[in-house]
Amino acid sequence: HGTETDDNAVKVVARFRPPGALNSKLGGRTCVAFPAPDEVVLTTQDDKGHPFRFDKVYLEDVKQSDVFDFTGRQIVEDVFEGYNGTIFAYGQTGSGKTHTMMGPSQAGLRGYCNDPDLKGIIPRVVEKMFSCVEEADEA
């Protein structure tokens, strides 16, 4: 909406997980490099580098809270101002979409993680929504 910053524009982010055990077992090599916080370079088998730019690139050691703060917090606040908001996760099977959106699965919780450091975007969005409702009730 009518702000002077790009806080409310569409943001495209990329999150990278660590290579899996199968990758190491099969002798796979790392084919991505991160020369800048918003850039990824994919290297093909013929060693050609292909750069891609994003609004943000998250490396394997990123905190779930940092992902939410950049991708989700403003969306929830905008929803309470009357705007539509969407968070869309896309990637191949096993790439980490569920981990990003929900957090790691915990036994007995059916996919929901209640660890404050590990919970994903969806539990954080729900908490932020209830926080916004409480703040509106107090005003």
Side-chain angles (χ1 to χ4, degrees), residues 1-2 15 20 29 42 44 53 62 72 82 89 92 102 105 122 127-128:
H1 55 72
R15 184 174 189 182
R29 66 183 181 115
L42 298 178
T44 56
R53 290 216 180 262
V62 68
Q92 108 181 45
M102 294 299 294
S105 183
I122 292 173
E127 288 173 359
K128 180 65 178 165

Side-chain angles (χ1 to χ4, degrees), residues 55 94 113 134:
D55 291 297
C113 172
E134 287 176 8

Side-chain angles (χ1 to χ4, degrees), residues 63-111:
K63 295 179 186 174
Q64 294 279 63
S65 60
D66 292 341
V67 175
F68 171 73
D69 287 342
F70 186 80
T71 60
R73 181 176 304 280
Q74 188 63 50
I75 291 173
V76 175
E77 292 172 3
D78 289 347
V79 165
F80 280 86
E81 295 292 323
Y83 296 93
N84 292 324
T86 301
I87 299 172
F88 180 75
Y90 178 81
Q92 108 181 45
T93 300
S95 62
K97 300 176 300 295
T98 301
H99 176 80
T100 296
M101 297 305 290
M102 294 299 294
S105 183
Q106 291 182 314
L109 293 178
R110 296 183 178 215

